[in-house]
Amino acid sequence: MDNMKLAKLLFPDVKLTPEDLELKYPPRDLPEGARVTRFAPSPTGYLHIGGLFGALTDVLVAKASQGVSYLRIEDTDKKREIDDGVSAIIKGFDAFGVEFDEGVTGFGTEKGDYGPYTQSQRVEIYHAVAKRMVENGLAYPCFCTAEELSALREQQEAEGALIRGYFGKYAKCRELSLEEIEENLAAGKPWVLRFRSQGSEDKRITFEDLIRGKIEMPENIIDEVLLKSDGIPTYHFAHVCDDHFMRTTHVIRGEEWLSSVPKHIAMFKACGYKVPKYVHTAQVMKFDDETGDKRKLSKRKDPEAAVSYFVEKGFPREAVIEYLLTLLNSNFEDWRRANPEADAMDFPFNLKKMGASGCLFDLLKLTDVSKNIISRMKAGDIYARVAEWTKDYAPDFHKTFTADPAFSTAILNIDREVPKPRKDIAKWDEVEDYLAYFFNEPQADPALLPERVSPADAKAIVAAYLPVYDPAEDKDAWFARLKTLCPDLGFCPEVKEYKKNPEAFKGHVGDVSSVVRLAVTGRTNTPDLCTIMQLLGKEKVSARLNAFAAKL
Ligand code: GLU
């Protein structure tokens, strides 16, 4: 077979050569040991939490080695693509502060010298490499129709072939003569370009996966499709061309690609390219709410599978990142203890500390992490974030919340910046309810009175407190005032004393303050009540005390 002639026949217009590409995309000038990683999503409409996992890994691995991370859009499967798929991905990363050094930055925009970073714009590159493979006798056109391919599958099934697919004696087009090919082309028959596999059935290959260790698998013998009939590459071929010319050193991708590695290694070798290091990451799992079984997070069943869920609920991005890192790297928590104030994105990510089995995503744990992080934020920061979040997700509350920024900030500041801050808020969608009694009159329910306090006692407490209540009192004076009311009401001013002799009293000062709390806020548990009352002001507090007494 005259391979040069065949290559010309198949790719008459391709002038670009792999040598041109080598010059255009030279090896990167990076320090020794620097890693080049990529995140390569298909724009199918949303960013999965597993995608955020992967991207974080890519970015941090590159950062920790003074390398480069980039975002490549793999849009070769037009059937699965949706219109604003790219925007959904970029928006997802923006929301979590995940930034790549290079690659696609928005719909139709990109940065970096190794682009284009969108596969549909790289067809020239794939064709240059494909043409060279034909010239080298490592690829051939296949004219088999869908019917022929399904007949082949049936034949293999009937024969009980151990390996299924287009290979060896089943690969009908592998041995077509140049004349036959010319005839087919002249007849306008559609064709795909196939890899001419050099593998053999009785050989095995080994490779090192950086988190799974040494892996042994049968060598690839399949004549895999490189270019589809429309000239668009398959994932496999695009992976080889792109990761070579973008000079990726570490291919970090989901474990579903592990079984394709023999194919990829064979193609890299056929092209004469260095095989990158492979890292196949575990899937994100959860315990099924109904069955309790561990299973993959599913787009259909689990709203939290989409990264947008965390934005919509108002989880601060730091909380999501922090939690993901605890799942991703077993030494993150030690590092965090040693560096409590550091930015999580400065974590020296270690691929070797990644687990090979599925990691368990637990919303409750994320909630705890988030409460901790929010408890350490400054009130002004929270104010700004809640103002921003409510604009999109709670527009009515947004108006109320932002009407008096100083007031809203002051109420968020209660019990904040103290040695043990309260951990009441996990996400911004809880703030409206959490602060409700500042903006709306509470409906205090007498059923919530402490057990030891009868409605008549509560009424007496309010009646005694109203005339002496002084909004100018600080916390200590405020509490001392409640104590002075206790003896006449039959309550003990000191909790300790009460505990020694509970029969002697109706209750203690804590019960008295609970009544005031319930009347003023409608709640049984709030941050510091004295500050709440100061912020509400005398008029509102008195009115609420009166309104509650009237219900008793
Ligand atoms: N586009 C592929 C996917 O979304 C990427 C796999 C890879 O990272 O190589 O699954």
Side-chain angles (χ1 to χ4, degrees), residues 38 40-42 72 74 235 239 243 251-254 256-257:
R38 85 293 193 277
S42 301
R72 177 170 78 219
E74 304 213 324
Y235 164 74
H239 155 49
D243 284 314
V251 170
I252 303 171
R253 61 185 180 186
E256 66 275 21
W257 296 108

Side-chain angles (χ1 to χ4, degrees), residues 470-539:
D470 175 0
E473 279 170 351
D474 68 8
K475 273 187 216 182
D476 291 338
W478 175 91
F479 197 54
R481 173 79 66 186
L482 290 182
K483 285 184 180 181
T484 61
L485 301 180
C486 286
D488 283 352
L489 292 162
F491 287 78
C492 182
E494 302 300 334
V495 180
K496 254 196 209 147
E497 211 177 294
Y498 169 79
K499 283 192 175 148
K500 272 189 241 156
N501 196 6
E503 279 76 42
F505 307 96
K506 291 179 174 166
H508 57 70
V509 63
D511 298 313
V512 174
S513 66
S514 291
V515 173
V516 178
R517 185 185 317 277
L518 183 62
V520 173
T521 67
R523 312 242 162 135
T524 55
N525 181 2
T526 68
D528 178 58
L529 183 58
C530 171
T531 317
I532 292 174
M533 288 167 57
Q534 283 170 352
L535 286 168
L536 283 169
K538 179 154 193 171
E539 208 174 304

